[in-house]
Amino acid sequence: MEVRRKVAGPAASAAPVPSPRARARRVQAGDALPLPIRHTNLIFSALFAASLAYLMRRWREKIRSSTPLHAVTLAEMLAIFGLIASLIYLLSFFGIAFVQSIVSSTDEDEDFLAVAPHPAAPPAAPAPAPCALLGNPAAAPEKMPEEDEEIVASVVAGKIPSYVLETRLGDCRRAAGIRREAVRRITGRDIEGLPLDGFDYASILGQCCELPVGYVQLPVGIAGPLLLDGQRYYVPMATTEGCLIASTNRGCKAIAESGGATSVVLRDGMTRAPVARLPTARRAAEVRAFLEDPANFETLSMVFNRSSRFARLQGVQCAMAGRNLYMRFTSSTGDAMGMNMISKGVQNVLDFLQDDFPDMDVISISGNFCSDKKPAAVNWIEGRGKSVVCEAVIKEEVVKKVLKTNVQSLVELNTIKNLAGSAVAGALGGFNAHASNIVTAIFIATGQDPAQNVESSHCITMMESINDGKDLHISVTMPSIEVGTVGGGTQLASQSACLDLLGVKGANPECPGSNARLLATVVAGGVLAGELSLLSALAAGQLVKSHMKYNRSSKDMSKVLS
């Protein structure tokens, strides 16, 4: 029989939650019967009725014949025994059923007490499916196969490198479980909250993540509809920051009620900038002159473009530091973000150049003049990836009704905060309120490289009053949004679903690159909505109030501290 204990206070949240099936299979009174309870009930009910009818008939006959009632035959004795036995069973059955109902309700109350969170504690998340290799703290751990036990011991001892498990075992899920168990034994920590099951580890092999031991869960919300260029988009955003999606959603509403936003892609080209060292600065200048000579562009393009059917060289921009030459190649990359694609093309050109300049020493395929995952003026000025401008005219009544402020306050705030304030701070590409928030959330949801939010978040937000000061013109200019719809994390199931929601999943066979450009405009449109809403909250003095409502626990901290 199951033994239950009431648990009080915060410790209650640690108790295991019984499954619905386990709750349904509590011990019942009828479990001890040899026959199903409905058949047993039928037999005893029939026995009771037959015995009672027989005895009543015999009782009437004895009264009519003046036969003593205490003189009973064997048949009457059996009938009396059957009547008493059936009566005891039926009384016991209904009595036990009544008691069972009380006990069951009490058990449910105790279960509730055992699993309900403390009033001052956040609700507990449902426990992930346990890994067969790790064991379950609420139950006896499942014994690891002897073969896996030997492999774990070898990994812990350093005899087998952890990174070869997938190749050696041929089973990515099994390799992740063994690696995780090895980490548990080495560190002494169970990492129970990190789920292992429920993920396709084969999908990341060789392209997304090495040495996996689990996966991190992030909530995804939807902002929208974003009315952009006449189309409605529901924008997926993965974030753990409260208010972010709600605020972006409010901005989307204001844009939609004002007729929508429009966007334009100014440039579309990924960059890679190797660095080479020449014997002298004069020699480096000769290589630079060769690369920047328009007469040589066709030859360089032919060498570069053979690396891919989508890569097309657009230009080469050079810079020098002494005898070091930095060569910034710009290329279209179709619907891919394109770092690998352009790197192969650059390598082809470097190999070609060394035939004519054998004294050129290539130091690195990337010399930071690209510039990737770092704030850099070259990206702010020249652009990298997709350069996008998105704008909208917000009507005066929408500013008042939806954004709870007025046009003049927004224009003044944007000038003093985003423009002058950022200049005082010496910002590089940071003339905005929180473009990085929206960029990063969309990047994670759609499988982009989250580190590229650095340059992709470069943005200048402009606001001015138009139509005699009644309406608001707002725009965001983002010169280096680096996105793709194929390759990398875009192929994972969750991220692919988010891309499909936007209608940009995979490569566009009819117009290569159009899906990635559309995704870039959606990112800019999301930033436009986020900027509009946050600046409105600041102008109306609502920022702290909204964050206290949506981004903070409502528990009384004074009681917790006491």
Side-chain angles (χ1 to χ4, degrees), residues 241-265:
E241 180 181 348
C243 292
L244 176 59
I245 298 177
S247 178
T248 306
N249 193 64
R250 183 175 76 147
C252 290
K253 180 180 179 181
I255 292 172
E257 292 190 6
S258 299
T262 57
S263 66
V264 57
V265 178

Side-chain angles (χ1 to χ4, degrees), residues 207-209 218 220 235-238 268 270 333-339 372-373 384-386 436 438-457 480-500 502-507 513 515-524:
Q207 64 177 1
C208 289
C209 177
L218 274 178
V220 176
V235 185
M237 302 173 66
D268 179 8
M270 183 50 64
T333 55
D335 283 305
M337 183 271 289
M339 289 294 297
D372 187 42
K373 302 174 183 176
R384 189 172 194 254
K386 279 69 175 172
S436 179
I438 290 86
V439 170
T440 305
I442 299 177
F443 270 30
I444 295 174
T446 59
Q448 311 305 312
D449 188 337
Q452 288 185 323
N453 81 88
V454 175
E455 60 269 37
S456 296
S457 298
S480 49
I481 301 178
E482 299 166 358
V483 293
T485 59
V486 297
T490 66
Q491 301 178 77
L492 301 180
S494 300
Q495 289 78 353
S496 180
C498 291
L499 289 170
D500 191 42
L502 293 171
V504 295
K505 176 182 176 181
N515 280 358
R517 286 191 290 271
L518 178 54
L519 178 58
T521 62
V522 170
V523 171

